Amino acid sequence: QVQLVESGGGLVQAGGSLRLSCAASGRTFSSYAAGWFRQAPGKEREFVAAITWSGTTTYGVDSVKGRFTISRDNAKNTVYLQMNGLKPEDTAVYSCAADTATARLRVGVGDYWGQGTQVTVSS
């Protein structure tokens, strides 16, 4: 069993930065791939980025490439999403998820999900 808790969201002006954290409990978290998703009001949940269990391979959607970076520290059981150059269209609730494979995360499937953290970008 893995429990995920996100933090680091908030209100930021366009062009600013935030770093989201996803803290996991459970001794096996380091064996799971992890990903970040977001859901804006009135829209479906969207895949943002994923990282393999080892951290050696990452994936991201085109809209965030060059601005967002996913990383993990398995010693701390934490996955991060560094978000730079934020835009108003990045406003959403950001959630993290863990699964056995990044391929599943990339199509929106995850074994474990956090509750989410709100990110609001003002223009």
Side-chain angles (χ1 to χ4, degrees), residues 33-57:
W36 285 96
F37 297 78
R38 65 186 180 186
Q39 187 167 19
K43 295 187 177 181
E44 294 187 353
R45 185 171 59 199
E46 174 190 26
F47 166 76
V48 175
I51 188 166
T52 53
W53 69 269
S54 62
T56 55
T57 305

Side-chain angles (χ1 to χ4, degrees), residues 22-69:
C22 174
S25 63
R27 293 178 294 175
T28 62
F29 177 69
S30 60
S31 65
Y32 283 86
W36 285 96
F37 297 78
R38 65 186 180 186
Q39 187 167 19
K43 295 187 177 181
E44 294 187 353
R45 185 171 59 199
E46 174 190 26
F47 166 76
V48 175
I51 188 166
T52 53
W53 69 269
S54 62
T56 55
T57 305
T58 62
Y59 305 88
V61 292
D62 288 344
S63 60
V64 306
K65 286 182 179 177
R67 299 190 299 125
F68 292 9
T69 302

Side-chain angles (χ1 to χ4, degrees), residues 60-108:
V61 292
D62 288 344
S63 60
V64 306
K65 286 182 179 177
R67 299 190 299 125
F68 292 9
T69 302
I70 187 171
S71 63
R72 69 190 298 163
D73 185 340
N74 284 339
K76 295 182 178 180
N77 274 2
T78 302
V79 176
Y80 304 98
L81 186 67
Q82 177 67 45
M83 305 186 294
N84 300 327
L86 283 162
K87 305 175 181 180
E89 52 263 42
D90 295 318
T91 295
V93 175
Y94 285 71
S95 302
C96 65
D99 197 89
T100 54
T102 54
R104 284 164 49 88
L105 290 168
R106 293 169 72 186
V107 295

